[in-house]
Amino acid sequence: MLVLTQIFGKTAWQSATSVRVSMASSRPTSLNLWPGTIPMEYPSRVTFEQIQADPSLPERDASVLAEFQAAPWLLPPRTKALSYAGMHQLDMLAEHRSMPIGNLTRAVVVMLFSRNISVIAQNTIYSMVKFGGVRNYIVAAWDPDDLQACMDLNLPCADVTSLLPVKLEQAANPNAHDELVIKWMRTIVTANLVEQNYAVICSDADVAWTMKPVWESFIGFAAFVDADGVMPELGLNGGAFMVLPTPLAVAFMSNWSASALDAINQGVDNYGHLHHDFAKYDAIMKRCVNPGHCGHVRHEHANSSMTAALFYAYPIGHRMVSDDYCLIDNPSILLDFCDWAILHVHPPCTPLHSKDIVFKRQGLWLMDDTAGCFARNSSSLSNAHDTIVCQPLGWRLQKSEEMFYSCPEYGTALVHKRPNRLSAAVIPSPT
């Protein structure tokens, strides 16, 4: 039996809903950053200008690639310097990009991509790589033009068209049917990788990450109750979740993924299916609401075949004062990203075209869409759309990233244990 667990708690600062501590001015800069954290000054405008003058520079100098690993779209378009250039088959790309982390032999982050969310996706990747230390992400696209746009951004792009449960009706401007299919693709792609023995973090493209190690936080959170998955959002919402390749997790993901076609025909999305047809999964998944309850569930099933749990959690950062998971949309709520509880921010109630407003208010918008974005022409797109490329906001406003680098200490998120670090989970540098 698989147990889906859920944690809920409140913090000492839950009443401070309208004032953020002045980080840059009142906190000493900590040099005790996690391995994989990129220095604030990288990537630099100086190196970018050198690349503009000499596009072959990244192919000759590995340090240039390392400097731009959080923003590969600023490298020459479709550069051959990246080891994954031209590699778009999901299985091959996942094998190439996966890394051993802790006691996990193969771990990979997957993010779904379409060209109409290009800029916000850049913000997600930039924060995930620069602050979260992620080096093993892949980007999944299911439309030919989206795949071409992804390639224009020098991302590790996987073509997952073959995994579509049903043909899209109008991919360029998705209708309600297509949006339903795309939501199910999160589950389908994740299940495909978990079934191949990958530990998987699935991230939406509208998630901003804070200065905490992504993999170590998820792993530590799962280990807290011996779980095989983490969904740290209110309700069954997959803004970012992790699944370990345990036998019960594989069974759960396979069953969930296999429900796609029937659910789409009924007009139900992937998370709605779990909500409304939960009895179907009762034999392989249970939920509990805190670590104590999880222990009770485990004891209750001690004589059963249950050996693992899917850890389902409420992020305290989204739940400071109420059960309203739209709380992040409230203009009076300003989060302290040095707090251990906040690994990422995902505004699920905000329309796509307004999500940047939430991130800008929180100081989590890191792309210079005012003066630093430009169109990259691509003759490969069948409908002649340009791909938008953005420079870091820090090039124009240096203080925009200071709060991330001025926390008094750095530790893992989600589980309040200081300064416990997972010593085995050091991520190697990319090539």
Side-chain angles (χ1 to χ4, degrees), residues 75 120 300 379 389:
L75 296 171
I120 198 169
E300 202 173 53
S379 58
V389 175

Side-chain angles (χ1 to χ4, degrees), residues 75-86:
L75 296 171
R78 307 201 183 205
T79 177
K80 302 298 184 183
L82 296 165
S83 63
Y84 52 78

Side-chain angles (χ1 to χ4, degrees), residues 43-55 57 64 67-68 74 391 395:
S44 71
R45 183 189 291 273
V46 171
T47 307
F48 175 72
E49 292 173 348
Q50 291 175 346
I51 294 172
Q52 298 302 103
D54 181 5
L57 183 61
V64 172
E67 184 175 332
F68 282 82
L74 296 177
Q391 299 171 356
W395 287 3

